[in-house]
Amino acid sequence: QVQLVESGGGLVQAGGSMRLSCAASGRTFSMYAMGWFRQAPGKEREFVAGINWVDGSTYYADPVKGRFTISRDNAKNTLYLQMNSLKAEDTAVYHCATSRDRTVPTSMYKVAFWGQGTQVTVSS
């Protein structure tokens, strides 16, 4: 089992920035890749960004490319998501997740463990 706890959400104005954190505990030696997903009201949960825990390679959904940056601190077992130039359409609950295998979890079906989520609200 891996436990994931997100933090850093809140309210921000459009154009602003915010950094989310996800602290992992438990069987963290089993983690090879992680990602961030988000779910807006009335919409399906969608992939936002992912990172390979071993080599640091990153992947982004098109709507966030150039604005969001995913990173990790191996020593602290912590995942980050730096979000810049935020838009109202970025408003959602953001969840971090670990992958079922060695590849970045780009869909919900590839996720092994979920965090409880943190609310991000961008006011226009």
Side-chain angles (χ1 to χ4, degrees), residues 73-85:
D73 185 325
N74 289 14
K76 295 182 179 180
N77 286 326
T78 300
L79 181 72
Y80 302 100
L81 184 68
Q82 177 67 43
M83 305 184 293
N84 299 328
S85 302

Side-chain angles (χ1 to χ4, degrees), residues 30 32-33 98-103 105 108-113:
S30 66
Y32 294 104
T98 64
S99 179
R100 292 181 178 273
D101 55 31
R102 296 175 182 264
T103 61
M108 293 176 56
Y109 305 102
K110 298 188 69 177
V111 171
F113 298 103

Side-chain angles (χ1 to χ4, degrees), residues 5-119:
V5 179
E6 302 95 336
S7 61
L11 176 65
V12 64
Q13 287 189 334
S17 298
M18 183 177 288
R19 189 176 83 155
L20 305 182
S21 300
C22 172
S25 61
R27 296 173 62 89
T28 56
F29 61 84
S30 66
M31 299 191 307
Y32 294 104
M34 294 187 70
W36 287 97
F37 288 73
R38 67 186 181 186
Q39 187 166 18
K43 295 188 177 182
E44 291 188 353
R45 192 170 297 186
E46 63 178 3
F47 170 76
V48 174
I51 187 167
N52 183 293
W53 204 257
V54 178
D55 64 17
S57 55
T58 57
Y59 304 83
Y60 297 94
D62 287 343
V64 307
K65 281 182 181 177
R67 300 189 297 122
F68 290 11
T69 302
I70 189 171
S71 62
R72 91 280 195 220
D73 185 325
N74 289 14
K76 295 182 179 180
N77 286 326
T78 300
L79 181 72
Y80 302 100
L81 184 68
Q82 177 67 43
M83 305 184 293
N84 299 328
S85 302
L86 283 161
K87 305 175 181 180
E89 50 263 43
D90 294 319
T91 295
V93 176
Y94 284 71
H95 299 265
C96 64
T98 64
S99 179
R100 292 181 178 273
D101 55 31
R102 296 175 182 264
T103 61
V104 169
T106 54
S107 76
M108 293 176 56
Y109 305 102
K110 298 188 69 177
V111 171
F113 298 103
W114 293 100
Q116 84 288 351
T118 185
Q119 175 71 48

